[in-house]
Amino acid sequence: MVYSGPMGNHHDRPASATPAACGSTWGYTTRAVQSAIPRGLGQSIGLPVHTAAAFQFGNLEEAQEEFAGGGGLSYARMQNPTVAMLEERLSSLEGAAHTLALSSGQAATFTALMSVCRAGDHIVSAATLFGGSAGLLQNVLPLMGIETTFTDGSPEAMRAALRPNTRVLWAEMISNPSGDVADVAALAEVAHAAGALLAIDNTVGGAGYLARPLEHGADMSVQSLTKWAGGHGSAMGGSVSVSGSADLSRNPIFTEGAERSLLNLHGAGALAQRQRWLGASQLGMTLAPHSAFLLGQGLETVGVRLDRECATAQALAEWLSGHPRVSAVSYCGLPGHPSHERAQRYLLRGKGAILTFDVPDPSRFLGRLQLLRIAPNLGDTRTLVVHPWTTTHGRVPEASRRAAGVGPQTIRMTVGLEDLADLQADIEQAL
Ligand SMILES: *Cc1c(COP(=O)(O)O)cnc(C)c1O
């Protein structure tokens, strides 16, 4: 029994699948609202929530086929129709062959890295990372015998750090909070020449609306769906999208076992297979269906939200740059930013919704805010600020904090949907 789509087996009449045009000719926002929803009599117009823990078989043979690796519905730890719809939508938006949705961005990062590494293997990473990713690389993967070399993220530095056992390169598409943009095409070349893969954290790339690393040669695009994809600060989730063209032929995980090797059994789908087996089936970092619904619904408006948020972020960055009480404004949409040129090359639309700036007295500034809220999330509909030096980056070594563009006076802001004039007025009075 091959699982024919999220609603494929819920009607006598086969639902016509999502239109074929979906992956190819339609624009981003059309795909965001239309993908993963079958057409046909009785089909729901939005994403349905399926809460069953298990799914039925018609006879023993169907059950046996599924347990032998059918890839269909059996038990909700492995696959659930609502989660599958979210995955189909994410694949459409990221230009991916397969997507695995999991319970958090952390779960997705861990699964992406562990899917191609085992004890004795090596990872090369950019140093300016989201704190949770740095924690996995520094503190968790070493428990499993996997070592990471941190670099400045440039193709030259990453090439110099390669070892014969390097399996994957890791970098953020747009780093948080410094706004460095990864040179994905050059990093892909470095990785592939060494028989390794390139995995990019595309969280700030907003579900493929601002950036699509797979189109530039990355093998995996990971995101925290908690941020822009969900977009309302209402659910946790994460995803790994894969290109379907990763060269796995130089990684023993995929080649060992002769004719029973993962590569022989699953071909181009071997990476996606291993990720679902590891992250969902074995580790159980399964996304809850209600969260999948919230995140999938969030995706319907991610483009519209990011248009507004990026425009407001750009306007605030320019305004703050000329403000007498503000210094060191950092936003890759500003001409002076080190990644400005790369942002023009890789970012499809706006330059992201995160900016940082230094104020004379962060504690006083944050204490006086009346509209902006102090909270650590990103990509919310509401504008949120933090003092990274003492909170999100508080445990990062001082040199790394400074390298990430975080100083003692730095405020990080993730821009929401409020009116620009209201945000400016609140910041002005707080300054
Ligand atoms: C938040 C975040 C993560 C982790 O995602 P969670 O959903 O919080 O687990 C990973 N990478 C980046 C860039 C993030 O901002």
Side-chain angles (χ1 to χ4, degrees), residues 173 183-189 192 198 211-219 345-348:
M173 187 67 237
D183 191 347
V184 178
L187 293 177
E189 255 185 62
H192 297 160
L198 176 64
R212 284 198 282 279
L214 299 180
E215 289 179 358
H216 298 282
D219 303 288
R345 191 144 41 100
Y346 283 107
L347 306 191
L348 296 156

Side-chain angles (χ1 to χ4, degrees), residues 91 94-99 192 197-198 213-221 240-247 268-269 271-272 275:
S91 288
E94 286 263 4
H98 295 280
T99 297
H192 297 160
L197 303 189
L198 176 64
L214 299 180
E215 289 179 358
H216 298 282
D219 303 288
M220 305 183 218
S221 177
V240 194
S241 297
V242 297
S243 67
S245 57
D247 177 7
L271 184 58
Q275 289 171 347

Side-chain angles (χ1 to χ4, degrees), residues 57 61-71 260 265-266 273:
F57 301 104
E61 288 67 35
E62 285 178 1
Q64 287 169 340
E65 197 185 321
E66 179 54 36
F67 275 76
R260 298 286 303 160
L265 290 177
H266 304 295
Q273 278 280 343

Side-chain angles (χ1 to χ4, degrees), residues 18-37:
T18 306
C22 218
S24 49
T25 61
W26 286 351
Y28 183 95
T29 306
T30 307
R31 281 178 283 138
V33 298
Q34 294 283 353
S35 61
I37 299 178

Side-chain angles (χ1 to χ4, degrees), residues 104-106 130 133 172 176 201 203 224 226-227 236-237 378:
S104 69
Q106 281 297 96
F130 168 71
S133 310
E172 294 180 0
N176 156 30
D201 182 335
T203 300
S224 166
T226 316
K227 314 294 169 54
M236 302 281 310
L378 297 171

Side-chain angles (χ1 to χ4, degrees), residues 87-102:
E87 290 169 342
E88 182 183 337
R89 182 165 282 178
L90 284 164
S91 288
S92 172
L93 297 179
E94 286 263 4
H98 295 280
T99 297
L100 171 66
L102 293 166

